[in-house]
Amino acid sequence: MKAIILAAGKGTRLECESSDLPKALRLLGGKPLIRYVLDSLDFLSPEDITIVVGFLKEQVMETIGGGYHYVEQRELNGTAKATLCAETILGNFLGPIIVCYCDMPFLSRKTYQSMFAKHMETGAGNTLLAGRMHPIPPFGRFIRDEENRLYDVVEDSACTDVQKQIDEVNVGLQVVDSPRLWTWLRKVDNINPKREYYLTGLVRVLAAEGVRQEVVTLENQNEMLGINTIDDLRAAEALLRRTRG
């Protein structure tokens, strides 16, 4: 098992640029966001983890330190392209790879491990993490066909009124078969308002090829909290205080 952590972003809505910090190093409870992710992935060896860096990459590499693989995303044009940067390290790996984000500090070791387990038990080509909560958060919605097979993820801003009622939402993590991952990533398009290549585009690519896709649903809704804005950071600080008692 291997992991890719996407940590190239600027964190513009977190005002990271004004504080001379990349998003991965924004502090939560005195600890960089990415460190929470690495702590929950401690069932993997550092050499099994590839970190995609970009904005202020030297700071990230110096803070996290050696033992990990680092690759650079030179053009910040989407999470699918960011993941593709790791091909130089993982192109010959034959097992499952989990792609995760540096800004989700509350995801647990159990969740990461359950995703690997579901992926390997079912023989899926892609396994995604879902959440269900009410009111429905402004996350991408999982779209299924009449046979309940996943075939798309539609961002909240692009959802129809009917799709907005879907409460199975995308949390972000995906476990993908690495031998085919790199070919699939190259098929992801950027037909969206931001013209970015989103990792969720893999769902459409795999559905078109008839590849099995599975979903793991979070048991603890607190794990869904990602840190994208100052308000998110404040909410995370409050949650951290409550969980620490």
XYZ file of all heavy atoms in Angstrom, residues 1-5 35 37-51 64-70 89-90 93 96-98 100 109 112-113 116:
319
model
N 0.843 -1.191 0.000
C 0.000 0.000 0.000
C 0.876 1.238 0.000
O 1.913 1.287 0.645
C -0.908 0.021 1.234
C -1.865 -1.159 1.310
S -2.930 -1.093 2.774
C -1.714 -1.368 4.066
N 0.447 2.234 -0.760
C 1.151 3.508 -0.832
C 0.144 4.648 -0.649
O -1.066 4.454 -0.783
C 1.848 3.679 -2.182
C 2.780 2.535 -2.584
C 4.084 2.554 -1.839
C 5.040 1.496 -2.392
N 6.323 1.475 -1.650
N 0.673 5.836 -0.353
C -0.180 7.016 -0.207
C 0.426 8.192 -0.947
O 1.651 8.355 -1.002
C -0.361 7.369 1.270
N -0.458 8.997 -1.519
C -0.087 10.285 -2.106
C -0.831 11.362 -1.325
O -2.053 11.287 -1.170
C -0.479 10.373 -3.591
C 0.239 9.299 -4.412
C -0.177 11.758 -4.151
C -0.292 9.173 -5.837
N -0.103 12.350 -0.821
C -0.731 13.470 -0.124
C -0.585 14.711 -0.996
O 0.528 15.101 -1.352
C -0.097 13.721 1.255
C -0.196 12.469 2.132
C -0.784 14.895 1.954
C 0.484 12.619 3.482
N 0.632 17.416 9.301
C 1.136 16.496 10.313
C 0.023 15.609 10.862
O 0.252 14.442 11.178
C 1.815 17.277 11.431
C 2.410 16.413 12.532
C 3.402 15.402 12.005
N 4.599 16.010 11.446
C 5.553 15.315 10.844
N 5.432 13.997 10.684
N 6.611 15.930 10.356
N -2.437 14.451 9.132
C -2.636 13.421 8.108
C -1.538 12.362 8.211
O -1.810 11.157 8.188
C -2.663 14.059 6.705
C -2.835 12.993 5.624
C -3.778 15.097 6.607
N -0.310 12.806 8.331
C 0.814 11.870 8.443
C 0.691 11.012 9.694
O 1.011 9.818 9.674
C 2.134 12.638 8.446
C 2.507 13.311 7.127
C 3.685 14.263 7.321
C 2.837 12.267 6.063
N 0.211 11.589 10.789
C 0.048 10.812 12.018
C -0.985 9.699 11.834
O -0.816 8.589 12.348
C -0.372 11.726 13.171
C 0.763 12.621 13.664
O 1.922 12.382 13.263
O 0.484 13.558 14.431
N -2.057 9.989 11.095
C -3.094 8.976 10.869
C -2.673 7.928 9.846
O -3.249 6.841 9.789
C -4.397 9.642 10.424
O -4.950 10.411 11.466
N -1.663 8.255 9.044
C -1.126 7.295 8.076
C 0.107 6.573 8.619
O 0.884 5.999 7.852
C -0.742 8.016 6.777
C -1.886 8.503 5.887
C -1.350 9.395 4.778
C -2.668 7.329 5.293
N 0.256 6.559 9.940
C 1.473 5.993 10.513
C 1.563 4.474 10.401
O 2.568 3.886 10.786
C 1.644 6.427 11.972
C 0.527 5.917 12.878
O -0.384 5.204 12.397
O 0.564 6.250 14.088
N 0.510 3.844 9.857
C 0.609 2.403 9.584
C 1.394 2.144 8.291
O 1.691 0.989 7.967
C -0.789 1.764 9.498
C -1.684 2.346 8.435
C -1.744 1.783 7.170
C -2.468 3.460 8.710
C -2.567 2.309 6.193
C -3.302 4.002 7.730
C -3.351 3.421 6.477
N 1.713 3.226 7.567
C 2.590 3.139 6.407
C 3.963 3.685 6.784
O 4.079 4.585 7.612
C 2.040 3.968 5.242
C 0.684 3.568 4.658
C 0.286 4.557 3.565
C 0.718 2.155 4.111
N 4.998 3.150 6.170
C 6.336 3.676 6.373
C 6.484 4.993 5.610
O 5.833 5.182 4.573
C 7.388 2.690 5.880
O 7.288 1.458 6.578
N 7.325 5.921 6.082
C 7.516 7.182 5.353
C 7.873 6.979 3.888
O 7.419 7.751 3.028
C 8.651 7.859 6.131
C 8.488 7.353 7.521
C 8.054 5.918 7.366
N 8.670 5.947 3.582
C 9.061 5.726 2.184
C 7.891 5.273 1.307
O 8.010 5.239 0.082
C 10.208 4.722 2.090
C 9.891 3.354 2.650
C 10.347 3.174 4.084
O 10.460 4.181 4.812
O 10.593 2.014 4.476
N 6.758 4.936 1.936
C 5.563 4.557 1.181
C 4.631 5.745 0.950
O 3.534 5.584 0.422
C 4.799 3.451 1.910
C 5.549 2.129 1.918
O 6.242 1.847 0.922
O 5.466 1.392 2.922
N 5.062 6.929 1.359
C 4.241 8.132 1.246
C 4.925 9.140 0.330
O 6.087 9.501 0.540
C 3.991 8.764 2.630
C 3.214 7.773 3.524
C 3.224 10.082 2.495
C 3.030 8.245 4.955
N 4.204 9.581 -0.695
C 4.696 10.608 -1.613
C 3.899 11.881 -1.392
O 2.667 11.864 -1.416
C 4.559 10.156 -3.078
O 5.345 8.983 -3.287
C 5.024 11.245 -4.033
N 4.594 12.980 -1.159
C 3.954 14.265 -0.896
C 4.148 15.169 -2.113
O 5.278 15.403 -2.549
C 4.536 14.929 0.362
C 4.365 13.998 1.574
C 3.858 16.273 0.627
C 5.059 14.502 2.835
N 8.549 18.932 7.248
C 8.177 17.515 7.338
C 9.416 16.635 7.457
O 9.434 15.646 8.178
C 7.328 17.098 6.125
C 6.052 17.939 6.065
C 6.974 15.607 6.195
C 5.227 17.930 7.325
N 10.454 16.984 6.748
C 11.715 16.271 6.888
C 11.875 15.098 5.942
O 11.050 14.855 5.052
N 12.950 14.384 6.139
C 13.308 13.285 5.253
C 12.524 12.018 5.508
O 11.704 11.936 6.420
N 12.792 11.048 4.663
C 12.107 9.763 4.771
C 10.966 9.628 3.793
O 10.650 8.526 3.345
N 10.319 10.758 3.459
C 9.206 10.765 2.514
C 9.719 11.070 1.110
O 10.786 11.645 0.938
C 8.164 11.819 2.916
C 7.620 11.639 4.300
C 8.133 12.372 5.374
C 6.590 10.734 4.555
C 7.634 12.199 6.658
C 6.093 10.565 5.836
C 6.620 11.296 6.885
O 6.135 11.113 8.149
N 8.923 10.700 0.109
C 9.207 11.118 -1.259
C 8.497 12.446 -1.511
O 7.371 12.659 -1.046
C 8.700 10.078 -2.269
C 9.396 8.762 -2.187
N 10.673 8.563 -2.666
C 8.992 7.570 -1.681
C 11.034 7.310 -2.464
N 10.034 6.680 -1.871
N 9.138 13.324 -2.255
C 8.534 14.600 -2.628
C 8.569 14.752 -4.144
O 9.577 14.438 -4.783
C 9.303 15.773 -2.002
C 9.236 15.824 -0.493
C 10.239 15.231 0.280
C 8.185 16.448 0.166
C 10.196 15.275 1.667
C 8.132 16.499 1.554
C 9.138 15.908 2.294
O 9.082 15.951 3.673
N 7.501 8.554 -9.112
C 7.870 7.742 -7.947
C 7.161 6.399 -7.962
O 7.750 5.360 -7.650
C 7.537 8.479 -6.635
C 8.238 9.833 -6.583
C 7.896 7.626 -5.422
C 9.749 9.770 -6.528
N 5.892 6.389 -8.338
C 5.038 5.218 -8.149
C 4.623 4.536 -9.452
O 3.797 3.628 -9.428
C 3.775 5.627 -7.373
C 4.027 6.187 -5.965
C 2.745 6.745 -5.374
C 4.599 5.101 -5.055
N 4.735 0.771 -9.315
C 4.108 0.101 -8.170
C 2.846 -0.628 -8.626
O 2.085 -0.115 -9.441
C 3.773 1.130 -7.089
C 3.090 0.556 -5.887
C 3.720 -0.392 -5.100
C 1.814 0.959 -5.546
C 3.091 -0.921 -3.986
C 1.172 0.442 -4.436
C 1.821 -0.501 -3.651
N -2.420 -0.977 -4.365
C -3.364 0.137 -4.232
C -2.691 1.393 -3.687
O -1.792 1.325 -2.844
C -4.403 -0.396 -3.245
C -3.637 -1.364 -2.391
C -2.634 -2.001 -3.307
N -3.137 2.540 -4.176
C -2.644 3.838 -3.731
C -3.817 4.663 -3.216
O -4.836 4.794 -3.893
C -1.961 4.601 -4.878
C -0.730 3.843 -5.379
C -1.561 6.006 -4.428
C -0.073 4.495 -6.593
N -3.653 5.231 -2.028
C -4.675 6.142 -1.517
C -4.223 7.568 -1.800
O -3.076 7.933 -1.563
C -4.948 5.938 -0.013
C -6.181 6.728 0.408
C -3.734 6.298 0.841
C -6.729 6.337 1.766
N -4.889 11.403 -0.863
C -5.543 12.159 0.194
C -5.036 13.598 0.214
O -4.157 13.973 -0.561
C -5.364 11.474 1.545
S -3.706 10.874 1.871
N -7.040 7.028 11.527
C -6.306 5.863 11.030
C -7.291 4.771 10.599
O -7.115 4.125 9.556
C -5.375 5.336 12.115
C -4.548 4.121 11.718
C -3.752 3.581 12.909
N -2.806 4.570 13.405
C -2.976 5.265 14.534
N -4.081 5.092 15.265
N -2.073 6.132 14.932
N -8.711 5.490 7.063
C -7.748 5.192 6.001
C -7.612 3.686 5.800
O -7.610 3.182 4.667
C -6.383 5.784 6.348
C -6.292 7.287 6.227
C -6.135 8.091 7.352
C -6.351 7.913 4.983
C -6.035 9.470 7.249
C -6.256 9.294 4.869
C -6.104 10.068 6.014
O -6.012 11.436 5.905
N -7.517 2.954 6.896
C -7.341 1.502 6.794
C -8.580 0.817 6.243
O -8.472 -0.141 5.466
C -6.974 0.933 8.165
C -5.585 1.334 8.635
C -5.276 0.836 10.040
O -6.145 0.820 10.921
N -4.044 0.442 10.265
N -8.597 1.023 2.409
C -7.735 0.006 1.803
C -8.412 -1.366 1.869
O -8.400 -2.128 0.899
C -6.391 -0.055 2.533
C -5.380 0.945 2.053
C -4.841 1.880 2.925
C -4.947 0.951 0.729
C -3.891 2.801 2.487
C -3.998 1.865 0.285
C -3.472 2.794 1.179
